[in-house]
Amino acid sequence: MIRDLAIISDRRSCALLDKAGTINWYCPERFDTEAIFSKLLDNEQGGYWSVCAKNKKFLTRQFDGRSSVLHSYFSIGGKGLTMTDFMPLDEDFKGICKLFTNAPSVIENKITIRPDYGLAAEDYTIISPTCIRLDKSGLYLHTSHPVCVDKDIIRFEITAGETGWAYLGKANKVSEGDLQKLLQTTLQKWKNLEMLVDYHGPYENQVRYSLRALQQMVYEPTGGIIAAATTSLPEVIGGERNYDYRYVWMRDAALITSSLTQIITNGELEEKFIAFVSGAMEKNGEDHISCFYAVNQTNVSPEIREIPLKGYLQSQPVQIGNSAADQFQLDAEGNILIACSIIYQKSGKVIYWDTVEKIADYICKNWERKDNGIWEEEQLQHYTSSKAFAARGLELIAPYQTDRDIANRWLKNAAMIREFISKHCLTATGAFAVYAGSEDVDLAAALYVPFGVYHVEDKNMLATIKELERNYCDEHLYRRHLLEFDSDKEGAFLAGSCWMAHYYAIAGDLQQCKKILDKVLVYSNDLGYFSEEADLTTGQLLGNFPQTFVHSSFICAVNGYKQALEGNTSIIKPIKQ
């Protein structure tokens, strides 16, 4: 189940394993390459790495500090076994490492490598009694004890009373000593990463769990942060809302950066974000951003490849790629400007200005167009949230423009966008509509206050919150509004619930803010990971995992709560002209 999943990462790729210690998802080399372990999406056809023993029972698990080194603790016949899983932060030893303490009884490792998401069979070459080459995958399996291949299952057993280890990766020579050194250097490198961003205050442990999740989902060579590590985990069990999220969504990345910038950082994360945006535009010859990119900054084709797997809990389709690749999402452009303005204000340095100018100019030329909106609807509309964030982005970035004629043009366009919203994007009750002409509201409007688009006491804002509470709230969690799907049939949207908590923090209703945050945390797992949505009836986590959008929204909301407790607000105020 999604709730049972843990993640180990080398900030290029990651592996997902459950409480039994079974690795059921792994894409070597890069987050978005073909999986060789995909049991998560097909229990029979997908590859996996399991650890079995008679009377083996899971006790608990924890990460080593804020690292991505995971220790899992088991009881076997009343005696203890500790298994340590990690992915080395080392160029020469990319892959997965397992270490076992003294085995109370025989420990059996079973590994099935199934390339191409489980559709292909692997070819094996025996190199030595403790080493196998995986010919199609280009990997090696090194083990502490003799290994054999039975049909397509690799097996090795750790003898009772002995320690054991294994490595799956590119290195053709590995020893136990190498793994012990890799463990120590990896722990040190994660400590160095901790220094990039930190938090002290309410919900401290939970925020640090979310910081780990975000840092695990960074593709280090480019600094791009993916939306999630998985594809096709369903938003509705048995439904068709199954998507591939292993890409760098520009809106998500901007909101994530905005949230992190408001806590303790040393500036490196922020600079990498702007560098990713600038590099992606340059690499693809663009004068604006695409809504998302591959982790290496290249454009993604909108073509979809359907994979004939059974799917998580029989939910199909299983698909690779995302058809939203060629959509126009105006709010993404606006959120990048907002993020850049926060970064500039905090650091005092205006970097990659040419990129920012291009995005601002693009908004001015294109804001009157209909777009696909924050929920990537196929239906083009004048989505209110897209206009609102575009206006706010222009307002916040204009003070950094030294050419006053250009700055004034940006501000003039921002004013025209606001006028359009006030004339066309309000419901009969005065709430902000989902889009021009609609009588419905959407959860995205909760972000208007934290980012200073509208004041917390704005009458239209108050009317919107009233509608959200009346029609979209259940047990202190909230649903979004979708045009092409009945959102009553999907789970509570956890990122949006955090936005509402942040709104109430700024509004001064700390009791309501805390109720929402506490309810959101009910749907994190034992290691603090969030999925995209939560089924309030069954308690199941829904959607791709871990959802970085949710983790950043949680951090931002908690920081808002902290600021409110201290008598401040985390609202982003406009800079004086």
Side-chain angles (χ1 to χ4, degrees):
M1 303 297 288
I2 295 174
R3 186 182 282 274
D4 292 337
L5 296 175
I7 296 146
I8 54 174
S9 166
D10 62 6
R11 290 169 56 86
R12 283 170 172 76
S13 183
C14 67
L16 277 61
L17 57 159
D18 61 22
K19 289 183 176 180
T22 299
I23 300 177
N24 51 35
W25 182 259
Y26 176 50
C27 304
E29 301 293 322
R30 244 171 61 169
F31 292 109
D32 55 355
T33 55
E34 297 176 351
I36 62 171
F37 295 152
S38 57
K39 185 180 177 70
L40 185 63
L41 295 178
D42 194 311
N43 196 49
E44 296 177 1
Q45 193 169 345
Y48 63 91
W49 183 341
S50 68
V51 178
C52 306
K54 187 177 181 180
N55 298 321
K56 171 172 162 279
K57 295 181 181 179
F58 171 78
L59 297 177
T60 189
R61 58 186 177 177
Q62 64 182 30
F63 284 104
D64 197 317
R66 273 181 56 192
S67 77
S68 186
V69 175
L70 181 67
H71 303 295
S72 300
Y73 304 96
F74 303 93
S75 171
I76 300 176
K79 297 182 180 180
L81 172 73
T82 301
M83 182 173 70
T84 298
D85 290 271
F86 70 100
M87 297 176 67
L89 296 182
D90 187 294
E91 286 291 341
D92 296 326
F93 290 92
K94 289 299 177 190
I96 297 173
C97 299
K98 277 185 180 287
L99 297 170
F100 300 86
T101 58
N102 281 6
S105 65
V106 174
I107 307 297
E108 182 185 36
N109 284 258
K110 295 169 60 178
I111 305 170
T112 297
I113 306 294
R114 298 281 297 172
D116 195 14
Y117 301 97
L119 302 185
E122 183 60 84
D123 293 329
Y124 305 97
T125 300
I126 305 295
I127 302 298
S128 75
T130 58
C131 178
I132 290 179
R133 185 173 68 230
L134 312 173
D135 297 331
K136 288 185 179 178
S137 302
L139 304 176
Y140 291 85
L141 175 68
H142 300 268
T143 61
S144 57
H145 291 71
V147 63
C148 66
V149 180
D150 180 11
K151 296 182 180 178
D152 68 342
I153 299 178
I154 304 171
R155 302 174 188 268
F156 71 95
E157 293 183 347
I158 300 171
T159 307
E162 297 182 359
T163 61
W165 59 271
Y167 165 85
L168 175 66
K170 287 284 190 180
N172 59 9
K173 291 184 179 180
V174 179
S175 68
E176 181 179 9
D178 291 330
L179 262 62
Q180 293 295 342
K181 290 178 182 177
L182 287 169
L183 175 60
Q184 296 308 312
T185 57
T186 297
L187 285 170
Q188 183 57 54
K189 288 180 180 179
W190 277 104
K191 285 184 179 180
N192 296 340
L193 288 168
E194 285 180 33
M195 298 168 59
L196 299 181
V197 56
D198 202 3
Y199 169 82
H200 301 282
Y203 299 99
E204 189 165 305
N205 286 337
Q206 293 89 339
V207 168
R208 289 181 174 179
Y209 294 159
S210 285
L211 289 174
R212 176 194 293 113
L214 293 176
Q215 289 182 316
Q216 286 178 318
M217 295 298 102
V218 170
Y219 183 67
E220 194 164 52
T222 62
I225 182 165
I226 59 172
T230 57
T231 179
S232 304
L233 294 186
E235 295 172 8
V236 179
I237 300 297
E240 297 182 356
R241 294 183 63 78
N242 312 330
Y243 306 109
D244 191 347
Y245 274 12
R246 298 171 299 156
Y247 305 109
V248 183
W249 256 263
M250 287 291 90
R251 173 201 310 106
D252 295 18
L255 289 171
I256 289 167
T257 304
S258 295
S259 69
L260 296 181
T261 303
Q262 294 177 65
I263 59 176
I264 303 171
T265 64
N266 69 352
E268 183 177 327
L269 291 171
E270 295 93 324
E271 185 166 344
K272 282 189 173 181
F273 163 73
I274 307 181
F276 183 93
V277 176
S278 179
M281 288 174 59
E282 182 178 354
K283 182 174 288 189
N284 296 287
E286 298 169 319
D287 63 352
H288 67 288
I289 60 164
S290 297
C291 57
F292 59 85
Y293 295 94
V295 293
N296 64 352
Q297 299 173 309
T298 59
N299 284 133
V300 178
S301 169
E303 296 298 318
I304 297 294
R305 178 192 175 198
E306 290 199 9
I307 303 293
L309 299 179
K310 293 179 179 178
Y312 177 82
L313 295 181
Q314 310 299 309
S315 300
Q316 295 178 327
V318 173
Q319 58 185 30
I320 308 304
N322 196 299
S323 60
D326 59 357
Q327 285 189 354
F328 170 46
Q329 297 175 11
L330 182 65
D331 69 296
E333 314 271 354
N335 272 298
I336 286 178
L337 295 188
I338 292 171
C340 289
S341 73
I342 300 170
I343 293 168
Y344 292 166
Q345 188 171 22
K346 180 176 181 177
S347 69
K349 296 188 299 182
V350 177
I351 56 177
Y352 296 101
W353 181 247
D354 289 348
T355 297
V356 172
E357 278 190 314
K358 288 178 182 178
I359 293 172
D361 286 339
Y362 183 82
I363 290 176
C364 291
K365 295 173 183 176
N366 290 276
W367 71 262
E368 293 178 276
R369 291 170 53 194
K370 294 181 178 181
D371 77 319
N372 297 94
I374 191 171
W375 308 132
E376 300 171 350
E377 305 273 12
E378 293 182 10
Q379 187 178 140
L380 290 168
Q381 292 288 354
H382 290 293
Y383 291 99
T384 307
S385 60
S386 296
K387 309 291 187 192
F389 290 121
R392 191 58 173 148
L394 290 172
E395 291 168 350
L396 287 171
I397 211 66
Y400 296 99
Q401 174 57 262
T402 57
D403 188 321
R404 298 320 302 165
D405 289 338
I406 296 176
N408 289 333
R409 173 164 56 82
W410 291 352
L411 292 172
K412 180 180 179 181
N413 275 271
M416 288 190 293
I417 296 172
R418 285 188 176 272
E419 183 180 6
F420 180 93
I421 292 173
S422 64
K423 286 184 177 180
H424 304 288
C425 298
L426 298 177
T427 68
T429 62
F432 292 111
V434 176
Y435 60 87
S438 172
E439 285 299 316
D440 296 308
V441 301
D442 180 56
L443 197 52
L447 278 173
Y448 296 168
V449 168
F451 289 135
V453 185
Y454 293 99
H455 192 273
V456 68
E457 296 178 358
D458 178 273
K459 64 179 182 179
N460 303 122
M461 196 70 233
L462 293 174
T464 306
I465 296 297
K466 185 176 180 180
E467 289 290 323
L468 288 170
E469 290 290 354
R470 182 166 55 204
N471 297 317
Y472 297 87
C473 181
D474 190 5
E475 301 179 24
H476 302 299
L477 296 178
Y478 299 82
R479 298 182 307 279
R480 55 185 174 171
H481 184 89
L482 300 172
L483 273 61
E484 292 151 359
F485 183 79
D486 182 0
S487 61
D488 285 342
K489 296 179 181 179
E490 68 172 9
F493 192 70
L494 295 178
S497 298
C498 292
W499 303 341
M500 288 293 288
H502 200 173
Y503 166 84
Y504 280 115
I506 296 171
D509 192 341
L510 298 187
Q511 184 178 11
Q512 181 66 5
C513 173
K514 189 174 187 304
K515 284 180 180 178
I516 297 170
L517 290 174
D518 289 344
K519 192 66 176 183
V520 167
L521 284 171
V522 170
Y523 295 97
S524 65
N525 73 3
D526 59 311
L527 296 170
Y529 290 111
F530 292 111
S531 195
E532 184 175 12
E533 299 179 9
D535 187 320
L536 304 189
T537 302
T538 66
Q540 286 184 310
L541 303 187
L542 301 170
N544 284 304
F545 183 92
Q547 190 79 10
T548 54
F549 201 17
V550 181
H551 284 284
S552 68
S553 298
F554 176 74
I555 292 170
C556 208
V558 169
N559 188 56
Y561 178 67
K562 174 188 175 182
Q563 295 297 322
L565 286 172
E566 296 173 352
N568 304 313
T569 66
S570 55
I571 188 170
I572 300 170
K573 297 179 177 65
I575 302 167
K576 292 182 180 180
Q577 299 293 311

